[in-house]
Amino acid sequence: AHPVRLSVQLFPYADGRMLLLARDVTALEQADAMRRDFVANVSHEMRTPLTVLSGFVETLQTLPLNVQERARYLSMMAQQATRMQHVVEDLLTLSRLEGSPFPGLGEWTPVKTLLRRCEEEARALSSLLTKHQQRPHTLQFPSADVLQQAGEIAGSQSELQSALSNLISNAVRYTPGGGSITVEWLPQDDGTAVFSVRDTGVGIAPEHIPRITERFYRVDRSRSRETGGTGLGLAIVKHVLQRHGAALHITSTVGKGSTFSVTFPANRLRPAAQPALAH
Ligand code: ADP
């Protein structure tokens, strides 16, 4: 059982009776603790790149550096600034998602468009990350035929795009060169459809799985950072999917790989528009 926190107040009446008011403030206190944690996390995330940045500024100011050395420092400074920009952008995305009601009712997004763009982004990211390695990733996406049949999802195209892309880019980022990433669109008999991303990457230990959608939760900080992570990607994914009535399911084996599957409910899907028949 969870402890319950009560706030108790006593109000005496003139006739000697008392009114006792007890309020359950458990949820309030939890929300407060979460807010404090969050502020601490954000501050920590910003402090590290800021410390590095001011260190570089100091070096530039005090050491007599030649042109190449200066250029190298400036490029490392630009990297830190970019990192902070990404954290701030992701934070703004999260707060926008939390603060606004469900968007895009009446908006229909073709699965084909979503997955084509995901594929372009995944290939670009993969070649960037495996540039210096001999072995590229093997990326598999649904065939043109499957995509043609896949139909449309009710909801915001930009939100869905960022959520699905995020899952795929994680698969790329957490899979060493030579591994493979398989993306599928699987319509089910009950009218739902499953989007799945399977990788042969580093995998996630069972105790971490329930927590990886929390803000700033990372299993391996250095890998997250090296591949441009903010620790907010899956928190954004979770929000977007919730808003679209979709469920995220994660299975993984350390050293073997992970599968992230998203089930879209039948009432948010509709078949592909049939080409108009000629009369
Ligand atoms: P990050 O920017 O750190 O990748 P995310 O919110 O996208 O943040 O993911 C949180 C953590 O979940 C990651 O730091 C990583 O440890 C783990 N993770 C996410 N996707 C995968 C994956 N496909 N394989 C292994 N670990 C993953």
Side-chain angles (χ1 to χ4, degrees), residues 90 166-175 181 197-205 208-209 211-225 227-237 250 252 257-260:
D90 280 356
N166 225 303
L167 294 176
I168 300 174
S169 64
N170 276 353
V172 172
R173 291 168 52 226
Y174 295 102
T175 301
I181 290 104
V197 188
R198 190 168 72 245
D199 67 55
T200 60
V202 297
I204 309 158
H208 293 298
I209 292 181
R211 299 201 57 193
I212 57 171
T213 55
E214 288 173 19
R215 295 157 179 204
F216 297 121
Y217 192 88
R218 296 146 164 139
V219 180
D220 176 351
R221 270 183 178 271
S222 64
R223 186 173 190 108
S224 162
R225 191 164 306 145
T227 56
T230 61
L232 294 168
L234 287 180
I236 294 175
V237 170
I250 306 165
S252 188
S258 316
T259 303
F260 286 70

